[in-house]
Amino acid sequence: MKFKILIFLSFIQIFQAQFTNINIVKEIHSKDKGMVVSAHPLASEAGAKILKMGGNAFDAAIATQFALAVVYPQAGNIGGGGFLVGTTNKGEKFALDYRETAPIKASKDMYLDEKGNANTDLSQNGRLAVGVPGSISGMFYTHKKFGKLPMSALIQPAIDLAEKGFAVTLREANLLNSTKEDFLKHNSHKTAFTKDIPWKQGDLLIQKELANTLKAIQKNGEKGFYEGKNAQFLVDEMKKGNGIISLEDLKNYKTRERKVLSFDYKGNEIISMPLPSSGGPLLAQMLKMASYENLEKYEQNSPEALQIMVEAERRAYADRAEYMGDPDFIEDKTQMLISDEYLKNRWKNFSFEKATPSADVGNIISQPKESEQTTHISIIDKFGNAASITTTLNGLYGSKVVVKGGGYFLNNEMDDFSVKPGVPNMFGAVGGEANSIVPNKRMLSSMTPTIVLKNGKPYIVVGTPGGTTIPTSVFQSIVNAIDFKLSPNFVINAPKFHHQWLPEVIYTEKNFPQHTIKVLEQKNYKFENRNVIGRTEMIFLDENGNAIAVADGRGDDSVAVE
Ligand code: DON
């Protein structure tokens, strides 16, 4: 593989030696071997172990997700939901949607007070914020369709980690400490996540209740979660506060198989998640609009490249707010929105002279606030299959509610609905009717698990967390690789930016080139610093089976090979 290496950033060693018993690996080159990249070394190792046992990418995807639910409780989950985009060695392409749904008792105005004001605390924290979890259903669906090894083997690494415990990383210890008050506020029972003295790196986190839940799932299948004792635990948890999820909600939950969103980008086929994720549609819109200005002519993060990409983001995110939602409840306008006919027209008012005002590309109802855990897994196996999975509780540790008896966090995904037209969610995203709350409807997502195919074979497997910054991060990863031909490490670790129509601000990571910022400030663009944007997990492959897997340098993310 040949790459133009602009700068070599040695993120590889930075986070190593930080642990007592955990080894973080940032980049692995291999040939004809399976690899897993995830947010936590123990989860990547759990997936790689399954590959070593002869499992395929989908088996490894399941084992890694279960392990993340234990070792990465801030976002890994069984109480949340996710999407899997996959390709098989037989050429099948598929998208699994195990997104949470609005409970039967949900209603459009459920987060509005008597005066009609939105109370986003309720959509973001505590029991009323919880959508019906989809992750367990999604993993069983994946297994039924594509699994090779028995499900019980795929759950076992997670059970061991929960039962015996594992050493927390410095990052996780800090997060557990800084969220302690919220855990105490939302849980009257003792959970595994709080202690009398602060967590420190290397402390053992043991989760006995979670181990029991996982054993019940191992024994009884998905019914071990959606019915019987565990379902009752969840419903009892709801009743302790203002929660509305019922036994019927849990019993009725179903994974949906969607048609992948597929489009051509410079001779490569990109497949990504369709609605109810805005991820794939936005990615298609942004890449196509950027190609109208021949983005590859410019340097990465140069003023010209930034301007083209930001203006593509502005137009795409305005469409997100207006048109996107669960396709089972609204008309799916994706094919129109990603057509060249529509996008070329949308691009007409682009000018290198100055910023396009956001009001010129969409209907602004009100100014959103700005704010910001989700996690991504990229996997390939030696058989030629690839899996790209993004899974989430939404916010950090979701609703902060831990199911008593179940030992796991519940999501706060209801906040991804538009609780009121023009009122921003926790990521500053606004929406309207297309994403309003209706019982059983899925809330609009930004998660963008993606696979790029070259000559029909996986070439790039990519995705990231980051709320509304997800599609723009994946956009950057793809152009960094395809247009700017950067080295794999730099593709994901180069300083990032993000724009989302509203607010009219470009967010940049702190090491973003100041020259570019200065040039664009002259053209009416406003910039704000953001600590980190996303955590991308990426695998590159060539036609001879050579692969490079890279884990984002911004976290404890780590690669494992079979
Ligand atoms: O589905 C979505 O778009 C959000 N719930 C994802 C949240 C997320 O990525 C948070 N991570 N930082």
Side-chain angles (χ1 to χ4, degrees):
M1 252 182 248
K2 272 196 198 136
F3 295 100
K4 184 166 95 185
I5 301 182
L6 281 185
I7 294 182
F8 181 68
L9 289 181
S10 183
F11 279 87
I12 298 163
Q13 303 300 327
I14 290 181
F15 299 111
Q16 283 186 10
Q18 211 182 55
F19 305 97
T20 40
N21 64 346
I22 296 178
N23 197 21
I24 293 186
V25 182
K26 289 296 180 191
E27 185 169 328
I28 295 183
H29 297 226
S30 81
K31 186 170 163 50
D32 301 326
K33 284 199 166 178
M35 290 204 273
V36 181
V37 201
S38 84
H40 197 286
L42 293 173
S44 298
E45 281 164 23
K49 184 174 163 193
I50 294 300
L51 293 174
K52 250 182 236 151
M53 287 165 60
N56 63 23
F58 310 109
D59 293 321
I62 296 164
T64 310
Q65 285 173 89
F66 272 114
L68 279 170
V70 180
V71 298
Y72 197 64
Q74 56 182 280
N77 68 83
I78 58 171
F83 301 127
L84 184 155
V85 168
T87 55
T88 70
N89 52 10
K90 296 195 192 94
E92 294 152 290
K93 299 162 195 165
F94 61 97
L96 301 185
D97 162 4
Y98 40 102
R99 180 73 163 165
E100 297 92 327
T101 55
I104 298 164
K105 289 199 193 109
S107 60
K108 187 171 172 182
D109 297 340
M110 64 189 278
Y111 300 111
L112 304 186
D113 64 17
E114 320 75 60
K115 292 187 184 130
N117 296 322
N119 181 349
T120 48
D121 182 42
L122 287 178
S123 63
Q124 291 172 12
N125 299 297
R127 291 160 186 79
L128 195 60
V130 187
V132 184
S135 290
I136 293 295
S137 163
M139 290 191 270
F140 275 87
Y141 194 100
T142 308
H143 187 253
K144 237 177 265 149
K145 242 190 124 137
F146 299 104
K148 227 174 131 198
L149 298 186
M151 191 64 163
S152 62
L154 310 180
I155 307 178
Q156 193 60 45
I159 295 177
D160 295 339
L161 286 161
E163 209 156 43
K164 296 181 192 135
F166 64 96
V168 298
T169 65
L170 181 61
R171 278 197 178 79
E172 193 76 48
N174 289 340
L175 274 180
L176 287 169
N177 292 333
S178 61
T179 322
K180 181 175 177 178
E181 267 177 40
D182 283 330
F183 295 155
L184 293 175
K185 180 173 167 197
H186 292 288
N187 299 284
S188 51
H189 61 287
K190 173 99 187 104
T191 74
F193 308 99
T194 54
K195 308 197 290 173
D196 296 336
I197 53 165
W199 288 95
K200 54 182 194 326
Q201 170 189 337
D203 282 354
L204 268 194
L205 172 56
I206 298 173
Q207 300 170 75
K208 291 271 190 235
E209 280 189 344
L210 177 55
N212 288 338
T213 305
L214 294 171
K215 282 182 194 165
I217 295 167
Q218 191 182 44
K219 184 161 170 241
N220 301 316
E222 52 195 308
K223 286 190 179 164
F225 181 80
Y226 289 104
E227 294 178 36
K229 196 169 93 182
N230 275 311
Q232 193 62 51
F233 280 149
L234 197 157
V235 170
D236 290 347
E237 189 56 56
M238 290 288 117
K239 289 185 184 147
K240 277 162 57 189
N242 49 1
I244 55 173
I245 295 178
S246 63
L247 288 173
E248 194 186 348
D249 279 314
L250 294 169
K251 202 170 169 193
N252 289 345
Y253 184 86
K254 281 198 176 46
T255 292
R256 298 290 316 269
E257 195 163 341
R258 310 275 178 194
K259 192 168 176 286
V260 293
L261 183 75
S262 157
F263 58 96
D264 174 82
Y265 185 64
K266 301 187 178 173
N268 304 284
E269 183 187 0
I270 298 193
I271 62 165
S272 191
M273 195 65 209
L275 294 180
S277 184
S278 62
L282 292 177
L283 183 64
Q285 288 191 299
M286 295 184 296
L287 284 168
K288 286 183 175 196
M289 284 189 267
S291 73
Y292 302 152
E293 296 297 330
N294 301 318
L295 186 64
E296 70 285 354
K297 277 195 333 211
Y298 303 100
E299 286 287 317
Q300 186 239 10
N301 285 346
S302 63
E304 295 83 0
L306 187 72
Q307 197 175 3
I308 293 167
M309 292 173 75
V310 162
E311 292 300 342
E313 293 174 359
R314 191 190 309 276
R315 287 155 179 80
Y317 277 77
D319 283 355
R320 180 192 197 275
E322 173 95 29
Y323 300 109
M324 300 186 198
D326 181 344
D328 293 341
F329 288 77
I330 61 156
E331 191 191 340
D332 185 346
K333 298 208 167 95
T334 305
Q335 288 310 319
M336 180 278 282
L337 293 171
I338 68 169
S339 67
D340 283 312
E341 191 189 347
Y342 173 79
L343 292 171
K344 281 190 171 150
N345 192 41
R346 204 112 173 78
W347 197 245
K348 267 187 183 152
N349 58 353
F350 169 80
S351 157
F352 275 115
E353 295 305 310
K354 62 173 178 37
T356 310
S358 283
D360 288 4
V361 303
N363 176 22
I364 299 177
I365 305 167
S366 75
Q367 276 293 330
K369 68 175 183 184
E370 176 255 323
S371 141
E372 186 120 350
Q373 233 11 17
T374 301
T375 190
H376 184 80
I377 314 168
S378 291
I379 306 186
I380 55 163
D381 64 24
K382 56 177 169 288
F383 313 112
N385 306 301
S388 188
I389 306 105
T390 315
T391 177
T392 188
L393 287 166
N394 194 25
L396 193 71
Y397 304 104
S399 61
K400 320 287 193 285
V401 175
V402 180
V403 175
K404 185 175 180 201
Y408 58 90
F409 283 104
L410 287 168
N411 68 81
N412 59 347
E413 218 72 57
M414 290 297 285
D415 190 59
D416 268 348
F417 278 117
S418 172
V419 300
K420 183 182 172 180
V423 171
N425 70 7
M426 60 189 289
F427 303 103
V430 283
E433 201 47 48
N435 190 30
S436 65
I437 306 173
V438 181
N440 298 316
K441 188 176 173 185
R442 283 148 149 94
M443 52 298 275
L444 183 63
S445 175
S446 299
M447 296 190 288
T448 317
T450 299
I451 300 176
V452 183
L453 302 157
K454 197 184 245 175
N455 303 322
K457 292 209 168 134
Y459 160 45
I460 295 174
V461 187
V462 63
T464 178
T468 46
T469 70
I470 296 173
T472 61
S473 287
V474 174
F475 176 36
Q476 287 171 80
S477 307
I478 290 178
V479 301
N480 284 351
I482 295 178
D483 294 282
F484 303 129
K485 301 191 169 43
L486 305 187
S487 69
N489 177 19
F490 203 61
V491 162
I492 63 173
N493 289 315
K496 292 223 279 282
F497 66 90
H498 170 71
H499 175 67
Q500 59 179 46
W501 176 55
L502 294 176
E504 270 181 273
V505 167
I506 305 171
Y507 298 100
T508 50
E509 288 186 314
K510 39 185 180 305
N511 46 352
F512 199 86
Q514 287 304 311
H515 167 73
T516 296
I517 294 179
K518 285 205 179 94
V519 172
L520 291 197
E521 277 174 345
Q522 304 293 316
K523 297 184 179 185
N524 252 357
Y525 290 91
K526 288 191 185 62
F527 287 84
E528 255 175 52
N529 244 313
R530 198 136 159 179
N531 198 11
V532 289
I533 300 178
R535 284 182 188 172
T536 309
E537 323 293 5
M538 199 159 184
I539 305 179
F540 294 85
L541 289 131
D542 71 10
E543 56 282 2
N544 302 317
N546 298 300
I548 303 176
V550 208
D552 201 301
R554 295 168 182 83
D556 296 329
D557 314 57
S558 188
V559 185
V561 62
E562 73 176 283

